[in-house]
C-alpha cells in the first residue's frame, strides 16, 4: 500500500524501477565493496568520511521515495538488501580499522547483527 498526500493519486509500481530513491539505495549497496577495500587498506580517515555519508543514504532514500511518490515493492526489497549488506558489514570494518577498540566494545559493535541471528 502506498501512502499519498491529500489530493494526490497513489502510484503503485510493484516491480518497477522506482527512480531516484532506488538509485540512492543502489548507491549504498554498491558502496559496500568500496568500504571493504578502504577498511582493509587501513585508511581510517577516508573511512571516517565515507561511512557516515553512505549511512546517510539510508535516511535519504526513504525520504525521497515518500516525497517523490516513488514507493514500490522493489524499492523496499532493495532497501532491505542494502541495509543488511551495510549494517552487517560494519562490525567487520570497525574490527579491521580499530581492533583495540573493537576488542573492548565488541558487544556494542556487533549489535546490528543480533536480529539476523535471533
Amino acid at each position: 500500500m502506498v501512502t499519498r498526500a491529500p489530493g494526490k493519486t497513489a502510484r503503485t509500481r510493484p516491480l518497477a524501477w522506482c527512480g531516484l530513491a532506488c538509485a540512492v539505495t543502489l548507491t549504498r549497496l554498491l558502496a559496500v565493496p568500496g568500504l571493504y577495500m578502504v577498511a582493509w587498506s587501513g585508511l581510517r580517515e577516508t573511512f571516517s568520511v565515507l561511512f557516515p555519508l553512505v549511512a546517510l543514504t539510508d535516511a535519504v532514500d526513504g525520504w525521497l521515495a515518500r516525497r517523490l511518490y516513488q514507493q514500490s515493492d522493489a524499492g523496499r526489497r532493495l532497501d532491505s538488501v542494502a541495509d543488511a549488506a551495510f549494517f552487517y558489514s560494519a562490525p567487520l570494518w570497525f574490527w579491521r580499522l580499530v581492533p583495540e577498540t573493537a576488542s573492548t566494545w565488541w558487544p556494542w559493535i556487533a549489535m546490528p547483527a543480533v536480529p539476523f541471528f535471533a
Side-chain angles (χ1 to χ4, degrees):
M1 186 165 136
V2 176
T3 59
R4 60 182 175 248
K8 297 279 186 176
T9 59
R11 291 181 274 169
T12 304
R13 296 177 285 179
L15 295 175
W17 177 254
C18 53
L20 183 59
C22 280
V24 171
T25 304
L26 191 58
T27 300
R28 181 169 67 257
L29 184 59
L30 294 175
V32 169
L35 286 169
Y36 270 104
M37 290 189 312
V38 170
W40 256 254
S41 297
L43 302 171
R44 287 184 187 189
E45 293 80 18
T46 304
F47 188 85
S48 68
V49 171
L50 292 177
F51 182 82
L53 289 175
V54 174
L56 185 62
T57 65
D58 189 30
V60 171
D61 63 358
W63 181 82
L64 283 172
R66 288 184 300 277
R67 183 84 171 156
L68 301 175
Y69 304 102
Q70 295 179 345
Q71 297 158 315
S72 71
D73 292 336
R76 279 187 278 281
R77 282 189 230 116
L78 182 62
D79 185 58
S80 294
V81 169
D83 286 349
F86 182 74
F87 290 110
Y88 293 150
S89 294
L92 293 173
W93 296 330
F94 288 111
W95 169 77
R96 176 67 178 161
L97 288 169
V98 283
E100 63 282 355
T101 303
S103 64
T104 304
W105 291 87
W106 70 266
W108 299 105
I109 295 170
M111 193 73 70
V114 170
F116 180 73
F117 295 108

